[in-house]
Amino acid sequence: MKRHSAVLLLLLVGTVSVLGEVLYAQVGSQVVIPCPGAVGSPRTLEWHYNNTKILTQDRSGGIMKGQGTLISSRARLIGSSLRIDGVRTGEGGDYQCVFNNKKTEQKLDLFTVSAQPPSPILQLSQLVLRCQAEVGILPRVTWQWPSKDRIETTTDGTLTISDVGPSHIGTWTCLIGDKVMGSTYINILGFQPQPQHILSVKEGVSVPLPCLLISPFPSHSSSLTFMTGGWQGPCHQPLLTLQTHASQLKWNSSNSSQSLLSFPTEALTNNLTIILKKVKAQDSGQYSCFLKFQQGVINSTISLEVEVWRGSGTDTKTGSTSVLQMPLWIILCIVVGGVLLLSLLILTGVMWRKKRRLKRLRKRRSQKQPLTARDYCQCHRNVANGNARRQRERERGSGSLKKPKQAS
């Protein structure tokens, strides 16, 4: 009777369960669930998931896996702890460890760490990071920046970032307290800032137009669908286009002038720089390097100023504008104005010379006649009576000529 009572007491002790702490694991990660009641060498060890056997270890160390759950194929024993590789959605819940007939329970809560849209993300897009429990709500969640120097606190595990840029590239870590829960890597596709917004060069030189991506072009990306890209000149004039061949990004040389441009022919990764050959004044303007996807467009612009060093122009470094850099209508106005001004000067000169000649002629006519010997004897000479006096002189002269005839 005493022996039966001892066996009954042992069975009663074996039914006692100890509730362990709540464990958190990211979906897809490897999780190790400890067995808190495991002390000493196990005579028997069993693991159950929601009361369905996962595996059993006997005295000799032999392991027999259960058939009632898919977890068994990915389950291993590490000592007395249960390791599950690649835990899947729906595998959270209660796990039971039976060690030497002592049963303990561990609760596993699964959560997901995700980014929307998935990486890579176009520069200046909106990014949403989520660290959320599969069932229920996680405790206070914080997000750690890739630089490790900033932490963003959220109420529901969701962090929204507007206008992403190079500083957001890296691993974002989801934390509950000081414990790392999971992480996700964010890659940004965009252009590096231009070293110079305005590029000033002399006429006749070859000048590189820089265009560098923050990260390599995603040739095999499932989240971005490439459409077109390349370089555009002033007034959005196509200069050089990009194409994809066998998932590789290359320049399309069939629609470009190689006498004006220099560019690589091999596959491109993150360097989209081209070279303009022997630039001229009319090449001045704004140039744009761009990539167009179904999800959006990214671009980088730079202004080119060609300095003209000719007699007809002036040096742009002095602040004046070259004639060849002026718009056509301004040049026409200057030419027409110059012709009109020259015509006015010529007309003014002709009129001045004519007026001067007339003045001299009038002065010559107004000069007095030379005085005769008879005029010097007159004390009062009246210029106004000059005509009458000359008439009397002619009459006297004619009279003196007639007198000799009468004498004969």
Side-chain angles (χ1 to χ4, degrees):
M1 182 65 182
K2 291 182 179 180
R3 184 177 179 180
H4 289 293
S5 299
V7 172
L8 180 60
L9 180 61
L10 182 62
L11 291 176
L12 289 174
V13 171
T15 60
V16 176
S17 298
V18 178
L19 182 62
E21 62 178 341
V22 178
L23 302 177
Y24 296 95
Q26 183 178 354
V27 174
S29 65
Q30 182 186 91
V31 59
V32 177
I33 305 174
C35 183
V39 178
S41 300
R43 294 187 297 273
T44 59
L45 176 63
E46 295 181 359
W47 274 98
H48 301 259
Y49 170 62
N50 291 337
N51 297 317
T52 301
K53 185 181 291 186
I54 300 175
L55 52 77
T56 302
Q57 180 180 356
D58 55 21
R59 285 178 178 269
S60 61
I63 296 177
M64 181 180 297
K65 293 188 176 183
Q67 303 296 326
T69 176
L70 295 176
I71 300 176
S72 300
S73 60
R74 293 174 283 111
R76 301 287 186 275
L77 280 177
I78 306 297
S80 60
S81 300
L82 178 67
R83 189 188 77 183
I84 303 175
D85 297 327
V87 63
R88 300 173 182 175
T89 301
E91 293 180 350
D94 295 329
Y95 286 79
Q96 299 86 29
C97 170
V98 181
F99 184 87
N100 294 340
N101 296 325
K102 183 179 180 182
K103 183 178 181 181
T104 57
E105 290 188 359
Q106 294 278 50
K107 183 175 178 60
L108 178 64
D109 283 348
L110 298 180
F111 64 93
T112 57
V113 177
S114 61
Q116 187 62 36
S119 188
I121 305 167
L122 294 181
Q123 192 175 16
L124 302 181
S125 299
Q126 178 176 280
L127 172 64
V128 180
L129 297 172
R130 291 186 176 91
C131 184
Q132 297 176 330
E134 186 180 54
V135 178
I137 301 176
L138 290 174
R140 187 170 176 265
V141 175
T142 57
W143 280 97
Q144 187 179 55
W145 279 58
S147 57
K148 310 295 184 183
D149 59 349
R150 289 183 61 181
I151 292 180
E152 301 283 347
T153 303
T154 63
T155 55
D156 58 353
T158 301
L159 177 63
T160 302
I161 303 173
S162 300
D163 300 334
V164 294
S167 62
H168 299 109
I169 297 177
T171 301
W172 289 78
T173 305
C174 173
L175 304 172
I176 296 181
D178 295 332
K179 186 176 181 181
V180 176
M181 304 303 298
S183 61
T184 182
Y185 184 83
I186 299 300
N187 189 21
I188 307 297
L189 183 62
F191 292 106
Q192 296 182 16
Q194 291 286 0
Q196 292 178 308
H197 294 290
I198 300 177
L199 191 61
S200 298
V201 297
K202 297 179 181 179
E203 187 178 31
V205 302
S206 296
V207 55
L209 298 178
C211 182
L212 299 175
L213 290 171
I214 298 173
S215 55
F217 180 81
S219 301
H220 303 281
S221 174
S222 58
S223 59
L224 292 176
T225 304
F226 176 75
M227 297 179 65
T228 185
W231 275 95
Q232 289 182 341
C235 301
H236 304 284
Q237 180 182 0
L239 194 64
L240 186 62
T241 59
L242 287 164
Q243 62 180 359
T244 53
H245 179 71
S247 299
Q248 291 183 332
L249 189 67
K250 293 185 176 182
W251 291 115
N252 185 6
S253 58
S254 61
N255 60 352
S256 63
S257 176
Q258 296 189 8
S259 61
L260 303 176
L261 299 173
S262 177
F263 50 87
T265 57
E266 63 271 10
L268 305 170
T269 54
N270 64 338
N271 191 351
L272 306 182
T273 301
I274 63 173
I275 298 176
L276 287 179
K277 297 180 179 179
K278 298 180 179 180
V279 294
K280 301 179 181 179
Q282 54 266 32
D283 294 328
S284 298
Q286 191 174 67
Y287 290 80
S288 176
C289 174
F290 72 99
L291 292 175
K292 183 178 181 181
F293 301 85
Q294 287 185 356
Q295 293 76 13
V297 179
I298 56 175
N299 58 57
S300 176
T301 59
I302 187 171
S303 295
L304 178 65
E305 291 184 354
V306 180
E307 302 173 357
V308 182
W309 301 82
R310 294 178 180 175
S312 59
T314 55
D315 185 1
T316 55
K317 291 184 177 180
T318 61
S320 57
T321 304
S322 171
V323 173
L324 296 180
Q325 292 179 330
M326 293 181 181
L328 181 59
W329 67 272
I330 295 181
I331 298 176
L332 290 176
C333 290
I334 293 175
V335 172
V336 173
V339 171
L340 292 177
L341 180 60
L342 183 60
S343 301
L344 183 59
L345 290 175
I346 294 174
L347 182 60
T348 303
V350 171
M351 294 298 294
W352 179 79
R353 291 189 64 182
K354 184 177 180 181
K355 183 177 180 181
R356 186 177 179 183
R357 188 173 63 250
L358 292 175
K359 184 176 181 181
R360 288 178 179 177
L361 185 58
R362 284 195 300 268
K363 183 177 181 182
R364 189 178 304 159
R365 289 178 179 177
S366 64
Q367 287 180 350
K368 299 177 182 179
Q369 295 294 330
L371 298 175
T372 62
R374 193 183 299 272
D375 291 333
Y376 283 104
C377 298
Q378 298 178 9
C379 297
H380 301 285
R381 296 184 297 271
N382 190 351
V383 178
N385 299 329
N387 294 334
R389 186 173 59 254
R390 286 192 291 271
Q391 182 66 27
R392 288 194 299 270
E393 290 176 354
R394 284 196 293 270
E395 289 177 357
R396 287 194 211 93
S398 61
S400 62
L401 292 175
K402 291 177 182 181
K403 286 179 181 181
K405 293 180 180 181
Q406 292 175 2
S408 60

